[in-house]
Each structure stands twice: as C-alpha cells, then as structure tokens.
C-alpha cells in the first residue's frame, strides 16, 4: 500500500542522560528544576516511534507529520525530526500548554490530529522520557475512538494493515491492526537514524507550523495545567535510609546461621 | 517542568557565533557532534590500532567510520550537483564541519578535506572532462581518497610560498607532447598516497617562467609511471595518515587533465593555501575542545583534600584560560572563513591581506591547541599521559597541522606580508 499517512508525536524533554544529581525537586511548588546547562532533547521513545514511521516510509512510501506540544520548543532540537525524514512539523506551542497531564496532553494532540484530517497510523513512544507515564498514546486512541497497539518492536505494512511485533514478557507476539490506529513503540525497534546532510539542508529551509489552542478548537482552560484531570499532590525525593548491621558469630558457619535466622525473622526468606 | 535556555558552551548550537553561522550550519554542527560522540569517541583509540597498534584494526575502524559519513552524504557535500554532489560552497560551513569532526579525530576530518582537494582545481575552472570522469566516484557510496601533491623534497616551503617564489622552485616538470602531458619529478609528503583516486599535481612547464609556468595536472591512479614510497612513519595519526613520496616517471595524461592554461594556476595554489590554512585552524580547535572537555570532566571527580580539583581556584583559572583561547581561536577562523567567502566586501580571496589573515589564524589556533592539550595533560597528572585518557593521542595528532601548508615560519612571513612589503626569506 503506497503512501501511508503517518503522524508521530514527539515530546521535548530534558536530556535523560544528564546526571541524576542535576535534577532538583522543589517540594514547595511540586516542580522539578533543572540547571541551565541541561539541553532539551526529543524523548528517546519518541525517537523510536519516528524511526518506525521512517522505515515504513522507506519501504512503501508515505507522509510523516511530526506533532509536538509544549511551550518554548527549541527549534534546533525539534527540527531534527525533519532532518531525518519527517515531511511536516506541527507545534502545539503556547504558554497554556504547559504543565499538562497525560489527559490534557492526549486531548490536545487528538484534536490536532483531527485537524490534520487524514491519517492512517499515529506513532507515539511507549512513554515519555521525563514523567514515564505511558498514557498519552492510548489516550489519543481513546479520544479518537480508534484501536491501539502497544510496545511495538517492528512495524510493517502488509495488505493495507500494520503487522506489528509487540514485546511481551517472554518474547514477542505478532498482531495485525487496521487503519487508522495508534501504535506505541519501544526501544527494541532501534535507534533513530542519523540525519543525512541532504536532510539537514532541507530541514533548515522548512519552518514548523505553529498552532495555538484556538487553532485546534480548544479553550486555554482545556489544555495544559487548566485541563489537568490528575492533581499532583506531592512531588518529593524519597529519603533513603540505609542501615547496616554486621551479623556476627564465633565461626563463619555460625555467622551464616545467625544471618539466616534474621532473614527468616524479617520474612525475606 | 521548565526548560531554561542552555548556556553550555559545549553545545554546538551555542558555541558558534550566529554572526557567521547560519541555522543550517548549526544543524550540521549538532549532527556531526552527535555522530562523533556515538561513533568516534568510543573507538578513537582503535584508529591508532588499539593497545596492540594493530594496523588492520585501525584501517577497519577508519573505514567503518568514514563509510557511515559517506552514507550520510558528507563525501559528496562539496561536489557539483550535476555529478551527484550537494554543492555546498560555504567556507564557514566547511570549517565548522571540520572542527566538529576533528573533535573526534583530526585525521578523519583531514581525509574529507583531501578528498575534495583531489578535484579542487578541476572544480575551480569547471573542467568537465575531469569532473565527468571522477566527480561521480566521489559522489557515490564508496569511501574515496583524493590527493593534492604540492611539496617537493628540495625545500617544501618554497613551493608553497607562491607570493615570494612564484613557482620557480618547483622541480616537477610537465611537458606538453601532442595531446598528452608528460610529467617527471617527485613530490614529498602529500597524502593519502597509494589509494587515492586522483593525484592533483602542481608542476611547472618551465621554472624560469615563474607564475606563468605553474600548471596543475590531475593524474589518475594506476597511470603508468606513477609510483609511491611506503607511507612515512609519523609521530601522530600513526595508522590513518598515509603521507609519503610520489614519483612521476614519464607519466602521461590527456591534455585535458590540466585544469586551465598555464598562467593563472599559481593563484589556484594560493587559493588552496588560504582556505586550507583557516581550515587547519578549525582542525586544531576540535582536539583542543575535546581536551578541555576531557580534563574538565575528569577534574570534577578527582578530589584533593576533600574537594573536586576543578573547584580549586588555581585549577579553575587554568580551565578558564584554556576555554578563553579556544573561543578566541574559533572566533578567529570563523571570521577569516567568512571574509574568504565575501570577496565583494573584503577583497580578493588570495589578496595579501587574506593570506595574512588565514596564516595568522592557523598559527594562532595550532599554537593554542597544543598548549591546551599540554595543559589538559598537566591537570590530569599521570592519567593524562596514559593512552586511556585520550589526551596523548590528540597531542600527537596536532603538531602536523602546525607544520603543514607552509609551516609555522612560512605562515608567519605571510602574516608579516599583510603589514608591509616583505619579499624574501
């Protein structure tokens, strides 16, 4: 089937490879604060999703629309999606999109996809690389009333359907899904390709389309923090309290026996 | 979650001035930066053959890295579109590409430069005969080498000192016999020898004619009479650089393989010199930046009396000085590359002033780059001296940049010529 119309949702996140100590939590306002030298990147799972779409485009042809939601989205970061082979970039970019939850994000993305109109496959990462909720992809499917498959490690188009290998706990299963549908992609699919020079040159000449809430038929009160359905009650760094007890004995064998008793008492063994 | 604007000067998007670099240049910098981090940094010691100095490992590693870059379009980037190239022509872009790639390994960057050099003269005059035959090879999917042969055993800098010597010291002779050029002579130090697709050779038809005698003739590999020495054993780039001697013994090539009539080709040599000098500066800044990053990271986790070493003010001041010199060298070569690209504002790209600027930025960048590498080694102590810290390879790979293209002193004379008429050594 030629020319599959695909939408790939990509989120800008703080670089997950930054050292954990770089991330600070301010529990008074329930926010994560970042040092100024942590650069945003495209979420890694979203990169896998984009790679899945690119492989389909390579094989059977198609159009890839990349969709991202946020505020102050770094152009040099998000335009990488065009450099690797995305055809169009739409940004849902506005202050009011900030601090949304999985619901308000999925809702805004679904409304944007409705506005895009024609779509066969919607690709998302299995979860974001910052909050790791893993709900947006399925949320989009629910709101658009279309089926979804999760944890794809391979996606092929055969006879007008997507043949998907889904990762399961002890291997993978092969599933077929018709169009339109949502597929969430996992790391086993493989890394996003490098941008070829020709793609970089072409991407530099393209500009993203920017949509505000009104452009997708939403009020600011329906998106971002105002549209949240989950209330963040408390954000904090768990205090780790490690106690070390030396289990002794007259001989190594006795120390071992004493250890076993203690473990039994603690119901560990 | 908030995304504050980054101030990390390692970020390729932050470190190049937008006064010179376009959005496309910054995207290229970012792409090459990431490629280097993932594909070169983990393997860069293998480019020296690894612990056992295994040449097969070095060649395999070099080929695999270059093949990936070829597949991404970098080898064809600077060739004309009609032959499959992407026709990039910005010196700023090329210099930024060079710095980023050189941060991983300067010789990997160098080999992309020499590939273009092999056909530079043909491209300058649109020599269709040569380009039709050879440009598509460089624009294909295979890794290709090209070579520009200039220096000679008798006084290398003399040949490169076009302004002063006017080609009168070139001893490689070309003679037009019928429809063929017949070449006899020897070149010393060009590279890569042996495997290049083409050897663009600076010759003279008559040394007495000076500039009017200089001709650049493209000699395909496998041409009868063309032979090579073994590659020289070098201090750095020990497995990747293949520089040596090329011997021309009644080498015959078609008349059309000379790009243009004698008379203007000294200017082309000079143009090569100017662009390669500021590119050399970019090639030196890459390793300097790498050494700064290596030392700064190492000193974060290295403690002296309960405090990270880099948090000691003496050390911080040294790191600051290293960074300052890198920023100055980078700004310098970007500035010169931009001027080279805008002769309508800054004058002919081979004017005395442009030669002086390019020479000054090469000498400055190469000098500070070596200083920065030595500082990194000093700050890191014995670990900095060990192979595993990477700094020693950068330090071995750098000096040749300072030496090539007319050498340190030759380049400095060209700097002086930008200030007053200085005619002879």
């Amino acid at each position: 089937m030629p020319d599959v119309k695909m939408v790939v949702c990509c989120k800008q996140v703080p670089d997950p490879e930054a050292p954990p100590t770089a991330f600070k939590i301010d529990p008074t306002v329930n926010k994560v604060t970042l040092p100024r030298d942590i650069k945003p990147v495209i979420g890694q799972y979203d990169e896998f999703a984009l790679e899945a779409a690119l492989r389909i485009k390579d094989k059977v042809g198609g159009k890839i629309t990349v969709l991202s939601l946020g505020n102050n989205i770094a152009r040099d970061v998000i335009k990488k999606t065009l450099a690797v082979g995305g055809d169009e970039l739409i940004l849902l970019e506005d202050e009011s999109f900030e601090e949304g939850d999985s619901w308000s994000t999925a809702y805004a993305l679904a409304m944007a996809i409705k506005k895009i109109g024609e779509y066969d496959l919607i690709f998302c990462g299995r979860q974001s690389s910052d909050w790791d909720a893993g709900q947006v992809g399925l949320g989009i499917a629910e709101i658009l009333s279309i089926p979804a498959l999760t944890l794809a490690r391979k996606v092929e188009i055969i006879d007008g359907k997507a043949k998907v290998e889904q990762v399961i706990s002890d291997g993978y299963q092969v599933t077929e899904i018709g169009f339109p549908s949502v597929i969430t992609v996992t790391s086993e699919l493989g890394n996003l390709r490098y941008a070829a020079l020709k793609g970089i040159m072409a991407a530099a000449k393209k500009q993203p389309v920017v949509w505000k809430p009104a452009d997708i038929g939403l009020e600011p009160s329906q998106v971002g923090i105002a549209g949240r359905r989950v209330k963040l009650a408390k954000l904090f760094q768990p205090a780790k309290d490690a106690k070390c007890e030396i289990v002794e004995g007259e001989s190594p064998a006795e120390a071992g026996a004493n250890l076993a008793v203690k473990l039994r008492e603690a119901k560990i063994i | 979650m908030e995304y504050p604007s980054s101030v990390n000067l390692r970020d390729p998007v932050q470190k190049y001035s937008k006064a010179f670099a376009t959005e496309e240049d910054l995207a290229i910098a970012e792409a090459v930066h990431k490629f280097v981090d993932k594909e070169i940094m983990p393997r860069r010691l293998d480019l020296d053959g690894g612990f056992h100095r295994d040449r097969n490992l070095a060649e395999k590693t070099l080929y695999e890295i270059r093949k990936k870059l070829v597949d991404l379009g970098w080898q064809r980037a600077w060739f004309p579109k009609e032959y499959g190239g992407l026709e990039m022509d910005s010196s700023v872009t090329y210099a930024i590409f060079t710095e980023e790639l050189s941060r991983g390994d300067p010789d990997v960057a160098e080999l992309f430069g020499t590939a273009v050099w092999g056909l530079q003269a043909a491209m300058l005059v649109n020599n269709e005969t040569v380009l039709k035959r050879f440009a598509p090879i460089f624009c294909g999917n295979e890794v290709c080498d090209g070579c520009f042969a200039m220096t000679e055993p008798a006084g290398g800098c003399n040949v490169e000192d076009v302004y002063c010597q006017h080609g009168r010291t070139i001893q490689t002779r070309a003679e037009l016999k019928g429809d063929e050029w017949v070449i006899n002579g020897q070149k010393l130090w060009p590279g890569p020898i042996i495997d290049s697709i083409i050897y663009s050779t600076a010759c003279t038809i008559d040394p007495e004619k000076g500039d009017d005698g200089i001709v650049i003739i493209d000699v395909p590999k496998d041409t009868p009479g063309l032979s090579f020495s073994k590659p020289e054993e070098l201090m750095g780039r020990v497995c990747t650089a293949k520089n040596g001697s090329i011997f021309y013994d009644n080498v015959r090539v078609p008349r059309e393989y000379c790009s243009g009539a004698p008379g203007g080709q000294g200017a082309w040599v000079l143009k090569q010199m100017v662009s390669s000098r500021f590119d050399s500066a970019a090639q030196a800044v890459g390793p300097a930046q790498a050494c700064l990053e290596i030392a700064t990271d190492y000193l974060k986790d290295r403690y002296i009396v309960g405090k990270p070493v880099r948090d000691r003010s003496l050390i911080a001041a040294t790191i600051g000085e290293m960074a300052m010199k890198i920023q100055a060298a980078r700004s310098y070569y970007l500035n010169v590359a931009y001027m080279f690209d805008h002769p309508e504002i800054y004058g002919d790209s081979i004017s005395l002033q442009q030669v002086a600027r390019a020479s000054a930025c090469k000498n400055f960048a190469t000098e500070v780059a070596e200083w920065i590498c030595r500082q990194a080694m000093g700050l890191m102590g014995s670990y900095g001296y060990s192979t595993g810290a990477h700094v020693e390879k950068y330090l071995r790979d750098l000096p040749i940049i300072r030496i090539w293209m007319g050498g340190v002193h030759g380049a400095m004379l060209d700097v002086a010529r930008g200030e007053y008429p200085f005619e002879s050594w």
Side-chain angles (χ1 to χ4, degrees):
Chain A
M1 173 182 170
D3 291 344
V4 184
K5 297 171 196 68
M6 295 171 279
V7 177
V8 183
C9 300
C10 290
K11 183 182 184 183
Q12 174 181 283
V13 299
D15 190 349
E17 292 189 17
T21 51
F23 295 84
K24 306 285 182 200
I25 288 172
D26 183 351
T28 59
V29 289
N30 283 346
K31 279 189 180 176
V32 176
T33 55
L34 299 167
R36 286 169 59 81
D37 59 352
I38 300 294
K39 188 178 178 176
V41 297
I42 297 167
Q44 204 175 6
Y45 295 109
D46 300 341
E47 287 196 347
F48 304 143
L50 181 54
E51 178 61 27
L54 289 166
R55 288 181 193 179
I56 290 171
K57 185 180 169 184
D58 288 346
K59 205 158 186 183
V60 300
K63 181 188 176 189
I64 298 174
T65 302
V66 176
L67 190 57
S68 189
L69 176 147
N71 192 30
N72 293 328
I73 300 172
R75 298 299 192 267
D76 60 290
V77 174
I78 199 68
K79 283 182 79 173
K80 177 182 169 186
T81 59
L82 295 174
V84 293
D87 298 288
E88 186 182 24
L89 175 60
I90 299 173
L91 304 181
L92 305 182
E93 190 177 42
D94 193 73
E95 274 182 25
S96 59
F97 285 122
E98 286 186 349
E99 296 182 50
D101 63 358
S102 299
W103 162 262
S104 62
T105 302
Y107 191 58
L109 290 172
M111 292 305 107
I113 292 166
K114 264 190 180 176
K115 179 169 176 170
I116 291 168
E118 291 186 326
Y119 53 89
D120 297 315
L121 289 174
I122 299 162
F123 285 101
C124 298
R126 61 177 282 181
Q127 63 202 60
S128 68
S129 300
D130 50 1
W131 289 101
D132 290 326
Q135 297 177 22
V136 167
L138 295 175
I140 293 170
E142 176 67 21
I143 294 162
L144 294 176
S145 297
I146 58 176
L149 282 178
T150 57
L151 301 177
R153 66 166 216 170
K154 186 176 181 185
V155 185
E156 288 179 299
I157 304 302
I158 296 172
D159 298 332
K161 292 178 181 174
K163 183 182 169 190
V164 181
E165 289 181 7
Q166 289 179 277
V167 174
I168 54 177
S169 59
D170 54 352
Y172 68 91
Q173 64 186 20
V174 182
T175 321
E176 278 188 357
I177 191 167
F179 294 162
S181 54
V182 171
I183 297 173
T184 74
V185 180
T186 189
S187 46
E188 284 85 348
L189 185 124
N191 289 331
L192 178 62
R193 64 197 59 188
Y194 292 114
L197 178 55
K198 203 170 181 179
I200 295 170
M201 293 166 73
K205 294 181 180 71
K206 290 182 185 173
Q207 291 306 321
V209 175
V210 178
W211 287 347
K212 302 287 182 188
D215 295 320
I216 52 174
L218 297 179
E219 297 291 330
S221 61
Q222 293 174 286
V223 301
I225 191 167
R228 286 183 76 108
R229 292 190 175 185
V230 173
K231 185 182 176 191
L232 184 59
K234 191 177 179 186
L235 187 66
F236 63 99
Q237 205 155 8
K240 287 182 181 171
D241 187 18
K243 290 179 183 172
C244 181
E245 182 183 344
I246 306 295
V247 180
E248 295 180 340
E250 292 293 324
S251 64
E254 186 182 319
N258 291 342
L259 175 62
V261 169
K262 282 188 175 291
L263 291 173
R264 178 64 61 86
E265 285 171 358
K267 296 186 177 174
I268 294 172
I269 58 174
Chain B
M1 202 171 289
E2 293 179 6
Y3 301 98
S5 60
S6 169
V7 292
N8 186 349
L9 286 178
R10 293 183 189 187
D11 178 357
V13 176
Q14 298 287 337
K15 70 184 174 191
Y16 298 105
S17 166
K18 288 176 185 165
F20 307 116
T22 62
E23 182 188 339
E24 183 179 292
D25 294 334
L26 298 179
I28 285 171
E30 175 115 37
V32 179
H33 192 91
K34 284 190 175 160
F35 181 90
V36 165
D37 280 348
K38 289 190 177 174
E39 303 290 343
I40 299 183
M41 288 306 191
R43 309 178 69 188
R44 65 182 302 278
L45 295 180
D46 288 348
L47 290 166
D48 262 359
F51 183 78
H52 297 289
R53 293 285 190 263
D54 178 349
R55 284 193 174 268
N56 289 333
L57 173 64
E59 286 185 9
K60 178 175 177 286
T61 307
L62 178 64
Y63 174 79
E64 288 174 357
I65 290 170
R66 291 183 70 194
K67 178 70 171 80
K68 285 180 181 174
L69 288 162
V70 169
D71 290 343
L72 291 170
W74 292 106
Q75 187 171 273
R76 67 174 66 109
W78 283 271
F79 291 98
K81 278 184 180 166
E82 59 195 291
Y83 306 112
L86 297 173
E87 212 159 285
M88 298 188 79
D89 58 0
S90 160
S91 300
V92 171
T93 308
Y94 186 75
I96 289 174
F97 166 77
T98 299
E99 183 192 323
E100 287 300 331
L101 198 52
S102 183
R103 188 178 69 93
D105 189 87
D107 213 39
V108 173
E110 172 64 13
L111 288 166
F112 278 90
T114 51
V116 180
W117 262 28
L119 289 177
Q120 191 79 49
M123 285 193 281
L124 280 169
V125 295
N126 192 23
N127 183 333
E128 288 188 1
T129 307
V130 171
L131 291 176
K132 270 183 186 168
R133 180 171 169 194
F134 297 103
I137 301 172
F138 286 89
C139 296
N141 294 322
E142 276 308 312
V143 174
C144 295
D145 283 322
C147 178
F148 180 58
M150 180 163 53
T151 311
E152 297 188 350
C157 291
N158 285 346
V159 178
E160 287 144 23
D161 188 12
V162 180
Y163 258 118
C164 190
Q165 305 295 331
H166 303 283
R168 281 190 289 266
T169 58
I170 297 175
Q171 295 187 1
T172 301
R173 299 289 293 263
E175 193 178 351
L176 191 59
K177 289 186 176 176
D179 281 337
E180 288 182 328
W181 287 100
V182 181
I183 307 171
N184 283 286
Q186 180 188 349
K187 294 290 176 181
L188 180 63
W189 295 120
I193 56 170
I194 301 172
D195 295 325
S196 287
I197 300 289
I198 195 153
Y199 299 86
S200 184
T201 307
C203 312
T204 181
I205 53 169
D206 181 356
E208 295 301 319
K209 290 188 172 179
D211 290 331
D212 290 341
I214 299 174
V215 285
I216 299 175
I217 301 175
D218 297 319
V219 180
K221 70 172 183 179
D222 300 330
T223 304
L226 189 67
S227 62
F228 310 94
S229 67
K230 283 184 179 176
E232 298 287 340
E233 302 248 340
L234 305 171
M235 168 183 172
R237 312 173 187 221
V238 290
C239 295
T240 50
K242 292 187 171 59
N243 296 73
S245 289
I246 305 175
F247 305 100
Y248 302 80
D249 183 9
N250 284 315
V251 167
R252 289 173 176 268
V253 297
R255 178 190 191 118
E256 295 78 19
Y257 282 18
C258 176
S259 292
Q265 297 182 36
W268 303 342
V269 175
L270 208 48
K271 196 163 186 174
Q272 303 265 51
M273 291 285 296
V274 175
S275 62
S276 68
R277 282 186 180 169
F278 62 73
D279 284 334
S280 294
Q283 196 182 122
V285 173
Q289 175 72 33
C291 287
L292 173 68
E293 293 173 9
I294 290 168
T296 310
D297 289 347
Y298 176 79
L299 298 172
K300 175 168 69 70
D301 299 321
R302 173 93 171 133
Y303 278 62
I304 288 183
V305 199
K307 198 174 178 181
V309 173
R310 72 180 192 179
D311 289 348
R312 304 275 171 190
S313 55
L314 174 66
I315 304 301
T318 304
I319 291 172
E321 193 174 353
M322 293 160 73
M324 174 184 76
K325 288 180 174 175
I326 287 173
Q327 288 175 37
R330 181 179 295 128
S331 301
Y332 204 164
Y333 81 66
L334 285 173
N335 185 35
V336 175
Y338 184 86
M339 288 174 155
F340 184 80
D341 280 349
H342 292 84
E344 74 283 6
I345 304 171
Y346 300 103
D348 193 337
S349 55
I350 57 167
S351 67
L352 275 170
Q353 289 72 26
Q354 293 286 42
V355 175
R357 289 183 186 117
S359 306
C361 90
K362 171 182 180 265
N363 273 12
F364 178 75
T366 51
E367 183 178 326
V368 301
E370 284 183 39
W371 181 86
I372 287 160
C373 285
R374 286 197 304 275
Q375 291 301 311
M377 188 175 279
L379 290 170
M380 295 170 72
S382 298
Y383 184 58
Y385 187 62
S386 73
T387 307
H390 291 260
V391 173
E392 65 85 31
K393 173 163 163 51
Y394 285 120
L395 193 50
R396 284 186 290 108
D397 290 349
L398 268 172
I400 187 59
I401 307 176
R402 195 158 157 69
I403 292 164
W404 66 36
M405 301 310 298
V408 183
H409 299 90
M412 209 56 98
L413 296 184
D414 283 332
V415 178
R417 284 187 187 120
E419 301 297 320
Y420 66 98
F422 176 83
E423 289 300 330
S424 62
W425 284 68

